[in-house]
Amino acid sequence: MSESRAWLQAGEPVRAATAVAAFDDPPARLAAALALRASGNPRAAPALRTFAVEHAGDAEGEEAARAVPASGPEALSVPDRLERARRLLAATRTAAAVAEIDAIDRALGPTPLGSVLRALALLQSGRPAEAERVAAPVAALPGSGEPAAARYVLARAAARQGRTEDAIARYRRVARERPTVPGLSPSQQADLPDDAAFLSAWLPHDAGRDREAIRGLRRFLREHPSARRAPDARWFLAWSLLRSGDRPAARTALAGLAGRESGTLRAAALYWGATIDPDPVRSREAYRAALREVPGGWYGLLAAARLARSGAPVPPPEPLAPSPLPDPPADPALAA
């Protein structure tokens, strides 16, 4: 790639194209498109436009976008800019996405899709009140599509501004409507209905309304037992039970969580279960299990401290295998 760019700078586009002809990765495709442009080949403009859309948010994609003419028949089309805005939002390249939305508005005037994209960019920028103002007129329109996506924006904006009741109601509607939201990654879009249902159940916990949270989180787990957020729901259900004073139910929930999870979440469940277990023998064994699960982690350290305070022996940490040192570089300056 460096050789191709050097030939371009030397005014040799044919040699620049030859230097990358054997490669088919993004940097090579961009270098080839730039070489075509330098040689005046008419295939350069569509190649650069396609690359700018497909790789929006990547360094190469943004370089291609800068190489496309700003106006005229070779410029990015409105559909190109819409797709770039979606991809840039998914890549959290907010400023670049707003630049594309501004260009769309100049070409078409404000549109529902442009308003939704702008509201999402405002949310990414930490400006939920402005996002709400932009999305509200679109959300009031009937039907799905952009109005449903705008209602998702309103749910997020309400939650970020601490309007719990409003956010709960809006997230419940999002879970029912299952909107397609521009700017979400494929995985985020796939998880959106379950995530909205989880948030509508979790927000009461965040607001300290534990009995309401217990009902909502239990309902979420019945209806979404395999959702990506199901482990989180089990964790916050246990915490809500504990905060509400129902220690037997909290112990049961924490034991269930420890029995099905691993890593930090299992260690946390073991640790907190041990703190409320009335049986000191079971409690110490749970601390030891938490320490074995994450010996160098936070809950492992907490468990070790609890064991030490109780006078119980603390298992020694496993010795770390020494990493082999790399061979020293031959150059004395690099070795220094």
Side-chain angles (χ1 to χ4, degrees):
M1 306 320 114
S2 299
E3 180 186 352
S4 176
R5 290 179 180 274
W7 282 120
L8 276 177
Q9 291 173 0
E12 296 281 355
V14 175
R15 290 191 176 186
T18 302
V20 292
F23 299 93
D24 191 28
D25 56 5
R29 288 175 55 206
L30 174 60
L34 293 173
L36 288 173
R37 186 188 66 162
S39 65
N41 192 308
R43 291 185 296 150
L48 286 168
R49 285 200 304 271
T50 299
F51 197 93
V53 172
E54 291 179 353
H55 295 274
D58 297 343
E60 293 88 356
E62 297 316 288
E63 184 176 356
R66 291 190 294 271
V68 174
S71 60
E74 295 182 347
L76 289 164
S77 66
V78 169
D80 288 340
R81 292 190 180 280
L82 282 170
E83 185 58 27
R84 271 182 53 78
R86 290 188 183 95
R87 295 183 183 225
L88 288 163
L89 284 174
T92 63
R93 295 288 297 272
T94 310
V98 169
E100 297 295 351
I101 297 164
D102 289 342
I104 295 165
D105 283 354
R106 287 193 297 271
L108 300 179
T111 63
L113 178 54
S115 295
V116 170
L117 290 168
R118 189 177 298 280
L120 287 164
L122 288 165
L123 277 178
Q124 281 190 2
S125 302
R127 296 149 69 184
E130 293 176 63
E132 191 170 37
R133 284 196 294 273
V134 172
V138 181
L141 297 173
S144 55
E146 287 86 5
R151 290 190 280 272
Y152 163 78
V153 172
L154 294 186
R156 288 184 58 188
R160 293 218 184 154
Q161 294 175 88
R163 300 201 315 270
T164 303
E165 289 298 334
D166 187 16
I168 290 171
R170 291 186 182 281
Y171 272 125
R172 284 176 179 163
R173 182 170 183 178
V174 169
R176 292 193 306 271
E177 290 187 320
R178 308 172 72 88
T180 298
V181 179
L184 294 187
S185 69
S187 61
Q188 289 173 322
Q189 181 62 59
D191 288 333
L192 178 59
D194 286 350
D195 283 351
F198 168 77
L199 289 167
S200 69
W202 172 81
L203 281 166
H205 169 90
D206 190 50
R209 290 153 34 185
D210 291 309
R211 296 196 181 280
E212 181 183 350
I214 290 166
R215 292 192 298 272
L217 290 165
R218 280 176 169 161
R219 183 173 59 250
F220 173 81
L221 288 168
R222 284 196 304 271
E223 297 173 357
H224 309 266
S226 302
R228 182 179 62 88
R229 304 299 291 270
D232 293 334
R234 294 185 185 97
W235 170 252
F236 288 112
L237 172 59
W239 262 110
S240 295
L241 289 164
L242 184 58
R243 291 197 316 197
S244 71
D246 191 347
R247 287 198 166 195
R251 285 201 305 273
T252 299
L254 288 166
L257 190 63
R260 67 189 305 158
E261 300 299 332
S262 62
T264 300
L265 192 54
R266 180 170 188 267
L270 287 165
Y271 174 82
W272 287 108
T275 65
I276 59 174
D277 195 320
D279 185 328
V281 175
R282 281 200 311 259
S283 180
R284 285 194 293 271
E285 182 51 43
Y287 285 135
R288 291 189 188 98
L291 181 54
R292 288 193 299 270
E293 187 71 21
V294 286
W298 172 245
Y299 284 104
L301 295 174
L302 290 178
R306 291 269 188 169
L307 287 169
R309 284 203 299 273
S310 73
V314 180
E318 294 183 7
L320 295 176
S323 299
L325 293 175
D327 294 333
D331 188 303
L334 289 178

